[in-house]
Amino acid sequence: MIKKSLTVLLTIFALSAYSQTYVGVKGGYTMSDIAFSPVQNTRMLFADGFDYGLVFKYFNLKYFGFQAELYMVNRGYRKPIDLAELGDTLYKRVNTYIELPIFMQVRFNLKLFMIHFNAGPYIAYLVQAREGDNSSGEYQMSNISINILRDNRIDFGVLGGIGLSRDFKWGTFFAEGRVGYGYGDMQKHTYTGMPKQSKAVFQSVNVGYLYHFGNNLK
């Protein structure tokens, strides 16, 4: 009994020697599209605001931990208004979500930098929708009412990414690239005139700063 207790205590001590918590902020940029079924002639959405939010990361092992975030992100798509034309006049739809991804993270020390790999699910809640077109030369966007019979408030899916970070005594800077795929449809297929599927496909880049608590994992 004493030996088992000592083993448990030593294990807890060993894990706590590697424990470290990070809290910080991030900002980034997302490029997105919607995969419709039946297929539509869509274009990727660019230049529609920056993502920003909070980051929480925890490691209790040297190479394995998890990361959670809470931030605002813009996703959507563009498509030609008249398919018979060359496609210079485009319709644009932009959805703004509050998103919560939760990652398992693996990282390795490259001396000057840490390289890390993230993978995990996300869930997002739609807070605003905008639409418009560039028939006047520039996009004229306006807010649209969210119809809960037509528009899905909840999106969910998977994310994966790779990044680099650098630890300093006063904090950590990181940069990362990600890809994601949504399993929730943007619009409900049961609503009249809506497609059978409308799933988000997106890529993002982001940078951030983290303040760390606990022991150094290097």
Side-chain angles (χ1 to χ4, degrees):
M1 183 67 181
I2 294 175
K3 288 183 179 180
K4 289 183 179 180
S5 299
L6 287 174
T7 301
V8 172
L9 288 173
L10 288 173
T11 302
I12 293 172
F13 178 79
L15 291 176
S16 64
Y18 286 114
S19 67
Q20 192 167 38
T21 300
Y22 297 80
V23 178
V25 294
K26 60 164 281 188
Y29 180 76
T30 295
M31 299 157 283
S32 61
D33 201 349
I34 300 295
F36 288 103
S37 178
V39 175
Q40 298 185 21
N41 181 26
T42 61
R43 311 267 181 96
M44 187 165 282
L45 181 68
F46 295 96
D48 274 283
F50 288 96
D51 311 333
Y52 58 90
L54 304 174
V55 182
F56 173 82
K57 183 189 295 189
Y58 178 73
F59 275 76
N60 61 1
L61 295 172
K62 190 170 184 179
Y63 301 109
F64 299 92
F66 79 90
Q67 179 171 312
E69 301 171 1
L70 186 66
Y71 65 101
M72 301 285 289
V73 60
N74 295 302
R75 295 202 298 264
Y77 67 99
R78 300 177 300 154
K79 69 175 183 179
I81 291 177
D82 187 349
L83 297 179
E85 297 179 358
L86 296 177
D88 293 332
T89 303
L90 299 174
Y91 166 85
K92 180 163 69 172
R93 168 73 179 257
V94 182
N95 286 352
T96 301
Y97 294 92
I98 297 177
E99 189 164 279
L100 173 65
I102 300 177
F103 301 111
M104 293 299 296
Q105 187 173 104
V106 181
R107 70 180 187 175
F108 303 97
N109 192 342
L110 302 181
K111 293 185 178 180
L112 290 178
F113 297 93
M114 285 280 195
I115 183 170
H116 65 262
F117 301 90
N118 286 332
Y122 76 86
I123 187 169
Y125 182 78
L126 178 64
V127 294
Q128 185 185 59
R130 294 177 293 134
E131 67 177 3
D133 62 58
N134 62 349
S135 57
S136 63
E138 296 184 357
Y139 282 104
Q140 303 295 320
M141 304 293 292
S142 59
N143 292 336
I144 58 176
S145 298
I146 297 173
N147 183 342
I148 61 173
L149 299 178
R150 178 195 62 203
D151 304 307
N152 267 324
R153 283 276 194 178
I154 302 297
D155 185 29
F156 61 95
V158 293
L159 282 167
I162 182 173
L164 294 173
S165 63
R166 177 78 184 270
D167 285 341
F168 300 92
K169 291 182 178 180
W170 35 266
T172 299
F173 285 102
F174 70 88
E176 186 184 62
R178 294 177 182 171
V179 295
Y181 183 80
Y183 290 111
D185 291 317
M186 183 184 73
Q187 296 165 323
K188 297 178 181 180
H189 68 275
T190 54
Y191 192 83
T192 303
M194 293 298 102
K196 293 180 180 179
Q197 291 185 351
S198 50
K199 302 185 183 301
V201 181
F202 52 95
Q203 304 87 44
S204 67
V205 292
N206 56 85
V207 296
Y209 167 79
L210 302 169
Y211 183 79
H212 48 77
F213 306 87
N215 301 299
N216 196 337
L217 295 176
K218 290 182 179 181

